[in-house]
Short mmCIF file of all heavy atoms in Angstrom, two decimals:
data_model
loop_
_atom_site.label_atom_id
_atom_site.label_comp_id
_atom_site.label_asym_id
_atom_site.label_seq_id
_atom_site.Cartn_x
_atom_site.Cartn_y
_atom_site.Cartn_z
N ILE H 208 -10.79 0.06 7.25
CA ILE H 208 -10.87 -1.31 7.78
C ILE H 208 -12.30 -1.55 8.25
O ILE H 208 -12.81 -0.86 9.12
CB ILE H 208 -9.85 -1.53 8.91
CG1 ILE H 208 -8.46 -1.13 8.37
CG2 ILE H 208 -9.87 -2.98 9.36
CD1 ILE H 208 -7.32 -1.38 9.31
N GLY H 209 -12.92 -2.52 7.60
CA GLY H 209 -14.33 -2.82 7.86
C GLY H 209 -15.17 -2.48 6.63
O GLY H 209 -15.35 -1.32 6.28
N ALA H 210 -15.66 -3.53 5.96
CA ALA H 210 -16.44 -3.33 4.73
C ALA H 210 -17.93 -3.45 4.99
O ALA H 210 -18.66 -4.11 4.26
CB ALA H 210 -15.99 -4.34 3.66
N GLY H 211 -18.39 -2.80 6.06
CA GLY H 211 -19.82 -2.65 6.30
C GLY H 211 -20.25 -1.31 5.72
O GLY H 211 -19.46 -0.62 5.07
N PRO H 212 -21.52 -0.92 5.94
CA PRO H 212 -21.99 0.34 5.36
C PRO H 212 -21.15 1.56 5.74
O PRO H 212 -20.89 2.42 4.89
CB PRO H 212 -23.42 0.48 5.90
CG PRO H 212 -23.72 -0.75 6.67
CD PRO H 212 -22.57 -1.68 6.62
N ALA H 213 -20.68 1.65 7.01
CA ALA H 213 -19.90 2.82 7.42
C ALA H 213 -18.58 2.89 6.65
O ALA H 213 -18.20 3.94 6.13
CB ALA H 213 -19.66 2.79 8.93
N GLY H 214 -17.90 1.74 6.56
CA GLY H 214 -16.61 1.71 5.86
C GLY H 214 -16.77 1.95 4.37
O GLY H 214 -16.01 2.70 3.74
N PHE H 231 -10.09 -3.06 3.81
CA PHE H 231 -9.71 -4.36 4.37
C PHE H 231 -10.88 -4.92 5.19
O PHE H 231 -11.58 -4.17 5.85
CB PHE H 231 -8.51 -4.21 5.31
CG PHE H 231 -7.26 -3.73 4.61
CD1 PHE H 231 -7.05 -2.37 4.41
CD2 PHE H 231 -6.31 -4.62 4.14
CE1 PHE H 231 -5.92 -1.91 3.75
CE2 PHE H 231 -5.18 -4.17 3.49
CZ PHE H 231 -4.98 -2.81 3.29
N ASP H 232 -11.03 -6.22 5.16
CA ASP H 232 -12.06 -6.84 6.02
C ASP H 232 -11.61 -8.25 6.39
O ASP H 232 -10.98 -8.94 5.58
CB ASP H 232 -13.43 -6.89 5.33
CG ASP H 232 -14.57 -7.07 6.33
OD1 ASP H 232 -14.71 -8.19 6.90
OD2 ASP H 232 -15.30 -6.08 6.58
N ARG H 233 -11.98 -8.67 7.58
CA ARG H 233 -11.56 -10.01 8.02
C ARG H 233 -12.35 -11.11 7.33
O ARG H 233 -11.95 -12.27 7.30
CB ARG H 233 -11.69 -10.16 9.54
CG ARG H 233 -13.09 -9.98 10.09
CD ARG H 233 -13.13 -10.27 11.57
NE ARG H 233 -13.10 -11.71 11.78
CZ ARG H 233 -14.14 -12.43 12.22
NH1 ARG H 233 -15.28 -11.85 12.52
NH2 ARG H 233 -14.04 -13.73 12.37
N MET H 234 -13.50 -10.77 6.76
CA MET H 234 -14.34 -11.78 6.13
C MET H 234 -13.95 -11.94 4.65
O MET H 234 -13.27 -11.11 4.09
CB MET H 234 -15.81 -11.37 6.25
CG MET H 234 -16.30 -11.24 7.68
SD MET H 234 -16.10 -12.74 8.64
CE MET H 234 -17.50 -13.70 8.04
N LYS H 240 -23.44 -8.05 7.11
CA LYS H 240 -24.55 -7.68 8.01
C LYS H 240 -25.60 -6.88 7.24
O LYS H 240 -26.79 -7.00 7.48
CB LYS H 240 -24.03 -6.91 9.22
CG LYS H 240 -25.05 -6.81 10.32
CD LYS H 240 -24.49 -6.20 11.58
CE LYS H 240 -23.84 -7.25 12.45
NZ LYS H 240 -23.34 -6.67 13.71
N LEU H 241 -25.14 -6.07 6.31
CA LEU H 241 -26.09 -5.31 5.47
C LEU H 241 -26.99 -6.29 4.72
O LEU H 241 -28.21 -6.08 4.60
CB LEU H 241 -25.31 -4.43 4.49
CG LEU H 241 -26.14 -3.55 3.57
CD1 LEU H 241 -26.84 -2.45 4.38
CD2 LEU H 241 -25.25 -2.90 2.50
N ILE H 243 -27.86 -9.28 5.65
CA ILE H 243 -28.82 -9.88 6.59
C ILE H 243 -29.91 -8.87 6.94
O ILE H 243 -31.09 -9.23 7.08
CB ILE H 243 -28.10 -10.35 7.88
CG1 ILE H 243 -27.24 -11.57 7.56
CG2 ILE H 243 -29.09 -10.68 8.98
CD1 ILE H 243 -28.01 -12.83 7.27
N ALA H 244 -29.52 -7.60 7.07
CA ALA H 244 -30.53 -6.56 7.34
C ALA H 244 -31.56 -6.56 6.21
O ALA H 244 -32.73 -6.26 6.41
CB ALA H 244 -29.87 -5.20 7.49
N LEU H 249 -34.74 -4.41 4.61
CA LEU H 249 -33.75 -3.33 4.57
C LEU H 249 -34.39 -1.97 4.83
O LEU H 249 -34.62 -1.16 3.94
CB LEU H 249 -32.96 -3.28 3.25
CG LEU H 249 -31.70 -2.41 3.36
CD1 LEU H 249 -30.68 -3.06 4.30
CD2 LEU H 249 -31.06 -2.14 2.02
N ASN H 250 -34.66 -1.74 6.10
CA ASN H 250 -35.20 -0.44 6.53
C ASN H 250 -34.02 0.55 6.57
O ASN H 250 -33.29 0.62 7.53
CB ASN H 250 -35.83 -0.63 7.92
CG ASN H 250 -36.46 0.61 8.47
OD1 ASN H 250 -36.82 0.64 9.63
ND2 ASN H 250 -36.60 1.65 7.65
N LEU H 251 -33.88 1.29 5.48
CA LEU H 251 -32.69 2.14 5.30
C LEU H 251 -32.68 3.35 6.22
O LEU H 251 -31.64 3.74 6.75
CB LEU H 251 -32.69 2.68 3.87
CG LEU H 251 -31.81 2.04 2.82
CD1 LEU H 251 -31.85 2.88 1.57
CD2 LEU H 251 -30.38 1.84 3.30
N HIS H 331 -8.37 -10.12 5.83
CA HIS H 331 -7.34 -9.36 6.53
C HIS H 331 -7.94 -8.84 7.83
O HIS H 331 -8.87 -8.04 7.80
CB HIS H 331 -6.86 -8.18 5.68
CG HIS H 331 -5.90 -8.57 4.61
ND1 HIS H 331 -6.24 -9.41 3.57
CD2 HIS H 331 -4.59 -8.25 4.43
CE1 HIS H 331 -5.19 -9.58 2.78
NE2 HIS H 331 -4.17 -8.90 3.29
N ARG H 332 -7.39 -9.34 8.92
CA ARG H 332 -7.92 -8.94 10.24
C ARG H 332 -7.03 -7.89 10.86
O ARG H 332 -5.81 -8.09 10.96
CB ARG H 332 -8.01 -10.17 11.14
CG ARG H 332 -8.37 -9.81 12.58
CD ARG H 332 -8.21 -11.02 13.49
NE ARG H 332 -9.44 -11.78 13.56
CZ ARG H 332 -10.49 -11.43 14.32
NH1 ARG H 332 -10.45 -10.35 15.06
NH2 ARG H 332 -11.57 -12.17 14.33
N TRP H 333 -7.62 -6.77 11.25
CA TRP H 333 -6.85 -5.75 11.97
C TRP H 333 -6.59 -6.23 13.38
O TRP H 333 -7.52 -6.69 14.06
CB TRP H 333 -7.64 -4.43 11.98
CG TRP H 333 -6.95 -3.36 12.76
CD1 TRP H 333 -5.77 -2.75 12.44
CD2 TRP H 333 -7.38 -2.77 14.00
NE1 TRP H 333 -5.45 -1.81 13.40
CE2 TRP H 333 -6.42 -1.81 14.37
CE3 TRP H 333 -8.48 -2.97 14.82
CZ2 TRP H 333 -6.53 -1.04 15.52
CZ3 TRP H 333 -8.59 -2.21 15.97
CH2 TRP H 333 -7.64 -1.25 16.32
N ALA H 361 -13.91 1.00 10.91
CA ALA H 361 -15.38 0.89 10.92
C ALA H 361 -15.70 -0.58 11.15
O ALA H 361 -16.17 -1.29 10.26
CB ALA H 361 -15.97 1.40 9.61
N LEU H 362 -15.41 -1.04 12.37
CA LEU H 362 -15.38 -2.47 12.67
C LEU H 362 -16.70 -3.02 13.21
O LEU H 362 -16.79 -4.20 13.53
CB LEU H 362 -14.25 -2.76 13.66
CG LEU H 362 -12.88 -2.24 13.22
CD1 LEU H 362 -11.88 -2.33 14.36
CD2 LEU H 362 -12.36 -3.02 12.01
N GLY H 363 -17.70 -2.14 13.33
CA GLY H 363 -19.03 -2.62 13.74
C GLY H 363 -19.10 -2.94 15.23
O GLY H 363 -18.16 -2.67 15.99
N GLY H 364 -20.23 -3.50 15.64
CA GLY H 364 -20.44 -3.86 17.04
C GLY H 364 -20.09 -5.32 17.28
O GLY H 364 -19.09 -5.82 16.76
N SER H 366 -22.88 -7.84 17.58
CA SER H 366 -24.01 -8.74 17.38
C SER H 366 -23.76 -9.57 16.11
O SER H 366 -23.01 -9.15 15.23
CB SER H 366 -25.31 -7.95 17.25
OG SER H 366 -25.38 -7.28 16.01
N TRP H 367 -24.36 -10.71 16.04
CA TRP H 367 -24.21 -11.61 14.89
C TRP H 367 -22.73 -11.73 14.48
O TRP H 367 -22.36 -11.44 13.32
CB TRP H 367 -25.04 -11.12 13.70
CG TRP H 367 -26.51 -11.33 13.88
CD1 TRP H 367 -27.29 -10.82 14.89
CD2 TRP H 367 -27.39 -12.11 13.06
NE1 TRP H 367 -28.59 -11.23 14.73
CE2 TRP H 367 -28.68 -12.01 13.62
CE3 TRP H 367 -27.21 -12.87 11.90
CZ2 TRP H 367 -29.78 -12.66 13.07
CZ3 TRP H 367 -28.30 -13.51 11.34
CH2 TRP H 367 -29.57 -13.40 11.93
N LEU H 370 -21.11 -12.86 11.13
CA LEU H 370 -21.14 -12.03 9.92
C LEU H 370 -19.90 -11.14 9.84
O LEU H 370 -19.74 -10.39 8.88
CB LEU H 370 -22.39 -11.17 9.90
CG LEU H 370 -23.72 -11.93 9.98
CD1 LEU H 370 -24.89 -10.96 10.04
CD2 LEU H 370 -23.87 -12.86 8.77
N GLY H 371 -19.04 -11.18 10.84
CA GLY H 371 -17.78 -10.43 10.75
C GLY H 371 -17.49 -9.55 11.94
O GLY H 371 -16.37 -9.54 12.44
N SER H 372 -18.47 -8.76 12.39
CA SER H 372 -18.18 -7.86 13.51
C SER H 372 -18.31 -8.63 14.82
O SER H 372 -19.41 -8.92 15.26
CB SER H 372 -19.12 -6.65 13.52
OG SER H 372 -20.14 -6.81 12.59
N ASP H 373 -17.15 -8.96 15.39
CA ASP H 373 -17.15 -9.79 16.60
C ASP H 373 -16.74 -9.00 17.83
O ASP H 373 -16.62 -9.56 18.92
CB ASP H 373 -16.23 -11.00 16.41
CG ASP H 373 -14.82 -10.59 16.07
OD1 ASP H 373 -14.52 -9.38 16.07
OD2 ASP H 373 -14.00 -11.49 15.79
N TRP H 376 -12.11 -6.04 18.55
CA TRP H 376 -11.27 -4.84 18.48
C TRP H 376 -11.18 -4.12 19.82
O TRP H 376 -10.26 -3.35 20.05
CB TRP H 376 -11.80 -3.88 17.41
CG TRP H 376 -13.27 -3.55 17.53
CD1 TRP H 376 -14.30 -4.14 16.86
CD2 TRP H 376 -13.87 -2.58 18.40
NE1 TRP H 376 -15.50 -3.59 17.25
CE2 TRP H 376 -15.26 -2.63 18.19
CE3 TRP H 376 -13.36 -1.67 19.32
CZ2 TRP H 376 -16.15 -1.80 18.87
CZ3 TRP H 376 -14.25 -0.85 20.01
CH2 TRP H 376 -15.62 -0.93 19.78
N ALA H 534 -28.65 -10.26 18.92
CA ALA H 534 -29.20 -8.90 18.94
C ALA H 534 -29.06 -8.26 17.57
O ALA H 534 -28.18 -8.61 16.79
CB ALA H 534 -28.46 -8.06 19.97
N ILE H 535 -29.93 -7.30 17.29
CA ILE H 535 -29.84 -6.59 16.02
C ILE H 535 -28.68 -5.61 16.05
O ILE H 535 -28.00 -5.41 15.06
CB ILE H 535 -31.18 -5.90 15.70
CG1 ILE H 535 -32.17 -6.98 15.32
CG2 ILE H 535 -31.04 -4.88 14.58
CD1 ILE H 535 -33.54 -6.48 14.97
N ALA H 561 -15.95 5.25 12.64
CA ALA H 561 -17.34 5.47 12.19
C ALA H 561 -18.17 4.22 12.43
O ALA H 561 -17.65 3.12 12.61
CB ALA H 561 -17.36 5.83 10.70
N GLY H 562 -19.48 4.42 12.42
CA GLY H 562 -20.42 3.28 12.45
C GLY H 562 -20.72 2.80 13.85
O GLY H 562 -20.60 3.54 14.84
N GLU H 563 -21.13 1.54 13.89
CA GLU H 563 -21.65 0.98 15.14
C GLU H 563 -20.58 0.79 16.20
O GLU H 563 -20.90 0.52 17.36
CB GLU H 563 -22.34 -0.35 14.81
CG GLU H 563 -23.57 -0.60 15.65
CD GLU H 563 -24.21 -1.93 15.33
OE1 GLU H 563 -24.71 -2.10 14.20
OE2 GLU H 563 -24.22 -2.80 16.22
N MET H 564 -19.30 0.91 15.87
CA MET H 564 -18.26 0.74 16.90
C MET H 564 -18.18 1.95 17.82
O MET H 564 -17.52 1.90 18.85
CB MET H 564 -16.90 0.40 16.29
CG MET H 564 -16.19 1.54 15.62
SD MET H 564 -14.59 1.02 14.90
CE MET H 564 -13.60 0.65 16.34
N GLY H 573 -34.64 2.23 10.96
CA GLY H 573 -33.76 2.83 9.97
C GLY H 573 -32.70 3.72 10.60
O GLY H 573 -31.82 4.26 9.93
N TYR H 574 -32.78 3.88 11.94
CA TYR H 574 -31.85 4.77 12.63
C TYR H 574 -30.43 4.20 12.68
O TYR H 574 -29.46 4.94 12.75
CB TYR H 574 -32.35 5.06 14.05
CG TYR H 574 -33.77 5.55 14.05
CD1 TYR H 574 -34.82 4.73 14.42
CD2 TYR H 574 -34.06 6.83 13.60
CE1 TYR H 574 -36.13 5.17 14.38
CE2 TYR H 574 -35.37 7.28 13.55
CZ TYR H 574 -36.40 6.44 13.95
OH TYR H 574 -37.69 6.89 13.89
N LEU H 575 -30.33 2.87 12.65
CA LEU H 575 -29.01 2.24 12.77
C LEU H 575 -28.22 2.47 11.49
O LEU H 575 -27.11 3.00 11.51
CB LEU H 575 -29.18 0.74 13.06
CG LEU H 575 -29.99 0.41 14.31
CD1 LEU H 575 -30.39 -1.05 14.35
CD2 LEU H 575 -29.20 0.78 15.56
N LEU H 576 -28.79 2.10 10.38
CA LEU H 576 -28.06 2.29 9.11
C LEU H 576 -27.82 3.76 8.85
O LEU H 576 -26.73 4.15 8.41
CB LEU H 576 -28.84 1.65 7.95
CG LEU H 576 -28.72 0.12 7.90
CD1 LEU H 576 -29.68 -0.47 6.87
CD2 LEU H 576 -27.29 -0.31 7.58
N GLN H 577 -28.80 4.61 9.13
CA GLN H 577 -28.61 6.04 8.87
C GLN H 577 -27.38 6.57 9.63
O GLN H 577 -26.56 7.29 9.06
CB GLN H 577 -29.84 6.83 9.27
CG GLN H 577 -29.70 8.34 9.04
CD GLN H 577 -29.65 8.73 7.56
OE1 GLN H 577 -30.51 8.35 6.78
NE2 GLN H 577 -28.64 9.50 7.18
N CYS H 579 -24.83 4.88 10.66
CA CYS H 579 -23.61 4.31 10.09
C CYS H 579 -23.21 5.07 8.83
O CYS H 579 -22.03 5.41 8.64
CB CYS H 579 -23.81 2.82 9.78
SG CYS H 579 -24.03 1.84 11.28
C1 FAD J 283 -30.62 -9.23 11.61
C2 FAD J 283 -30.30 -7.76 11.47
C3 FAD J 283 -31.18 -6.92 10.84
C4 FAD J 283 -30.91 -5.55 10.73
N1 FAD J 283 -31.80 -4.76 10.08
C5 FAD J 283 -31.57 -3.42 10.02
C6 FAD J 283 -32.48 -2.55 9.35
O1 FAD J 283 -33.44 -3.00 8.73
N2 FAD J 283 -32.24 -1.20 9.40
C7 FAD J 283 -31.15 -0.68 10.05
O2 FAD J 283 -30.99 0.55 10.09
N3 FAD J 283 -30.23 -1.49 10.62
C8 FAD J 283 -30.41 -2.84 10.62
N4 FAD J 283 -29.48 -3.66 11.21
C9 FAD J 283 -28.26 -3.05 11.81
C10 FAD J 283 -27.23 -2.68 10.72
O3 FAD J 283 -27.07 -3.75 9.83
C11 FAD J 283 -25.89 -2.35 11.41
O4 FAD J 283 -26.11 -1.30 12.33
C12 FAD J 283 -24.83 -1.91 10.40
O5 FAD J 283 -24.54 -2.95 9.48
C13 FAD J 283 -23.54 -1.51 11.10
O6 FAD J 283 -22.67 -1.01 10.11
P1 FAD J 283 -21.10 -0.88 10.38
O7 FAD J 283 -20.50 -0.52 9.07
O8 FAD J 283 -20.86 -0.01 11.54
O9 FAD J 283 -20.64 -2.34 10.83
P2 FAD J 283 -20.82 -3.77 10.13
O10 FAD J 283 -21.87 -3.75 9.11
O11 FAD J 283 -20.94 -4.72 11.26
O12 FAD J 283 -19.44 -3.97 9.38
C14 FAD J 283 -18.22 -4.07 10.10
C15 FAD J 283 -17.22 -4.81 9.25
O13 FAD J 283 -15.97 -4.83 9.94
C16 FAD J 283 -15.37 -6.10 9.79
N5 FAD J 283 -14.45 -6.30 10.92
C17 FAD J 283 -14.75 -6.38 12.23
N6 FAD J 283 -13.62 -6.55 12.95
C18 FAD J 283 -12.60 -6.56 12.08
C19 FAD J 283 -11.18 -6.67 12.22
N7 FAD J 283 -10.58 -6.79 13.41
N8 FAD J 283 -10.42 -6.64 11.09
C20 FAD J 283 -10.99 -6.50 9.85
N9 FAD J 283 -12.32 -6.40 9.67
C21 FAD J 283 -13.11 -6.42 10.77
C22 FAD J 283 -16.53 -7.06 9.77
O14 FAD J 283 -16.17 -8.26 9.12
C23 FAD J 283 -17.60 -6.27 9.02
O15 FAD J 283 -17.58 -6.54 7.63
C24 FAD J 283 -29.72 -5.02 11.29
C25 FAD J 283 -28.80 -5.88 11.90
C26 FAD J 283 -29.09 -7.24 12.00
C27 FAD J 283 -28.08 -8.15 12.68
#
Side-chain angles (χ1 to χ4, degrees):
I208 306 184
F231 297 85
D232 200 288
R233 61 175 283 250
M234 299 302 282
K240 194 173 274 182
L241 181 68
I243 289 289
L249 195 68
N250 182 191
L251 259 188
H331 281 63
R332 172 190 270 281
W333 177 66
L362 306 169
S366 73
W367 287 60
L370 303 176
S372 9
D373 57 6
W376 52 264
I535 287 180
E563 216 182 294
M564 74 181 292
Y574 307 104
L575 303 167
L576 283 171
Q577 179 69 52
C579 293

